[in-house]
Amino acid sequence: MKRRKIALIGAGNIGGTMAHLCALKKLGDVVLFDVVDGLPQGKALDLLESAPIEGFDVQITGTNKYEDIAGADLCIVTAGIARKPGMSRDDLLGTNCKIMKQVAEGIKKNAPDSLVIVITNPLDAMVTLTKRITGFPKNRVVGQSGILDSSRYCTFLAQELKVSVASVSALVLGGHGDDMVPLRSSSRVSGVPLEKLISPKRLDEIEERVRQAGGEIVSLLKTGSAYYSPASAAVRMAEAYLLDTKEILPCAAYLEGEYGVKGVYFGVPVVIGGNGVEKVIQLELSDQEKKCFNESLSHVNELIQAMDKLLA
Ligand code: TXD
């Protein structure tokens, strides 16, 4: 059996961290691609030289040429610019649209059978653009946002209750913006509904921190945005696909009527397996959650309209 090939488009903070995780988990050979000469090559060589210590045998190479991603089973895209303090994700739209156009064309030409996981912000617009340009079917273009947002929710809940993160199962749906939708009604701590353990007022505060969690890290780092946790989130999706685990994960998926939404990428729970996005899971939402869900959806629609204007 041939080793799987993973192309990481963008060799910055998230790209480099994903390469490390993919190697440690022995998921497949990694090709790091970037437009900056030397950056992907340098990171690849550094990582490769850790192989004897860590005990992995996968190949890691760096490149500035799209031809080198040929035949990739999986492409994960982080190419673009990241937020600086004071910027919203939407402020990245103009620059990252241009970058994503090039990237999607490069993937379409060189890795036409791959699954594409998009991470670049503003996520919901960038994943939409990738699907349009590649023309890949909806099961092969997906966005990463919900796993990270849900992980942040789990982290804060575990800290609040002083329990292991392993006991917390919490979900965030919707767009990857400040109006994302923490799903209180579907979240549990060891099977116990959240509202039985934490007061509604405190839950409101925790959920607001989840919505602002990306910005909290940007304001601490000052030079960029979160990268360890986004990399972990995308690699979790990669594992589900490459190992065909059929794990249910919250991802930005193309909806065609599910949740009453048509023709838009939006964060919902999906089954990820060997065929990419294999199924959308429909959950009951409370009235309040439905309201937030629709607000988040209007924001995503506005973002797509803004992108269409830029591209016109
Ligand atoms: O959960 C999520 N979806 C996210 C998304 C969570 C955190 C950050 N998220 C976004 O990911 C962030 O707002 C950015 O848009 C991307 C990448 O974040 P990262 O922290 O990795 O940014 P870096 O370190 O600046 O790396 C970006 C790399 C950098 O090396 C550039 O040289 C490269 O992208 N780049 C390109 N690569 C390929 N092709 C082109 N055209 C290109 N332009 C820039």
Side-chain angles (χ1 to χ4, degrees):
M1 204 164 48
K2 253 177 68 186
R3 226 183 262 154
R4 309 303 289 275
K5 179 166 174 178
I6 304 163
L8 303 176
I9 315 295
N13 283 334
I14 301 179
T17 310
M18 287 193 300
H20 199 191
L21 289 173
C22 288
L24 292 175
K25 288 171 182 269
K26 305 174 184 167
L27 292 181
D29 290 337
V30 175
V31 179
L32 263 173
F33 172 96
D34 205 287
V35 284
V36 178
D37 179 35
L39 177 72
Q41 292 87 348
K43 286 197 180 183
L45 188 57
D46 186 11
L47 284 165
L48 199 63
E49 289 167 2
S50 75
I53 308 168
E54 295 290 354
F56 59 78
D57 262 315
V58 300
Q59 288 304 312
I60 309 175
T61 47
T63 184
N64 308 113
K65 291 191 303 228
Y66 271 108
E67 298 87 89
D68 293 330
I69 72 163
D73 299 287
L74 171 64
C75 298
I76 313 183
V77 183
T78 58
I81 55 163
R83 284 200 275 176
K84 302 237 160 54
M87 287 172 94
S88 81
R89 295 178 181 90
D90 297 1
D91 294 334
L92 308 174
L93 187 65
T95 308
N96 285 353
C97 256
K98 290 187 200 131
I99 293 173
M100 284 305 292
K101 267 177 80 177
Q102 288 173 10
V103 170
E105 276 155 12
I107 292 174
K108 181 182 181 179
K109 184 158 176 234
N110 296 282
D113 299 319
S114 60
L115 170 76
V116 186
I117 300 175
V118 178
I119 306 186
T120 304
N121 273 326
L123 188 271
D124 307 283
M126 294 302 100
V127 65
T128 303
L129 185 60
T130 304
K131 181 171 187 315
R132 280 191 201 161
I133 293 177
T134 57
F136 288 3
K138 63 177 181 177
N139 62 309
R140 287 205 285 118
V141 181
V142 60
Q144 189 304 115
S145 55
I147 301 174
L148 170 64
D149 299 330
S150 302
S151 181
R152 287 171 168 160
Y153 196 17
C154 289
T155 304
F156 301 151
L157 290 168
Q159 283 188 336
E160 176 72 13
L161 293 167
K162 301 189 174 48
V163 299
S164 161
V165 287
S167 301
V168 184
S169 159
L171 197 56
V172 177
L173 302 186
H176 188 51
D178 295 346
D179 47 14
M180 62 183 74
V181 189
L183 224 63
R184 198 180 289 191
S185 69
S186 297
S187 301
R188 300 276 182 279
V189 179
S190 233
V192 181
L194 283 188
E195 281 132 314
K196 299 214 161 151
L197 301 167
I198 305 176
S199 73
K201 186 171 165 285
R202 184 65 189 133
L203 275 174
D204 285 345
E205 288 166 4
I206 291 170
E207 289 167 3
E208 187 50 24
R209 186 172 177 204
V210 173
R211 289 191 196 92
Q212 303 297 334
E216 187 178 351
I217 291 185
V218 171
S219 61
L220 288 166
L221 293 179
K222 297 179 187 72
T223 52
S225 49
Y227 52 100
Y228 292 114
S229 52
S232 293
V235 171
R236 181 82 171 263
M237 292 167 75
E239 278 182 289
Y241 165 66
L242 294 168
L243 308 177
D244 190 22
T245 63
K246 311 217 184 287
E247 191 175 3
I248 297 178
L249 296 165
C251 301
Y254 191 72
L255 300 182
E256 287 181 307
E258 301 92 341
Y259 290 88
V261 180
K262 262 205 183 118
V264 176
Y265 269 93
F266 208 52
V268 293
V270 297
V271 174
I272 305 262
N275 287 317
V277 179
E278 297 187 350
K279 193 178 171 190
V280 172
I281 306 291
Q282 303 231 40
L283 296 175
E284 268 301 303
L285 308 187
S286 70
D287 288 345
Q288 176 60 20
E289 287 163 354
K290 265 187 209 148
K291 192 171 157 264
C292 295
F293 193 87
N294 289 330
E295 278 166 19
S296 178
L297 184 63
S298 345
H299 180 196
V300 170
N301 279 321
E302 281 165 22
L303 188 65
I304 305 294
Q305 280 166 16
M307 178 173 80
D308 287 341
K309 264 198 194 155
L310 279 172
L311 296 171

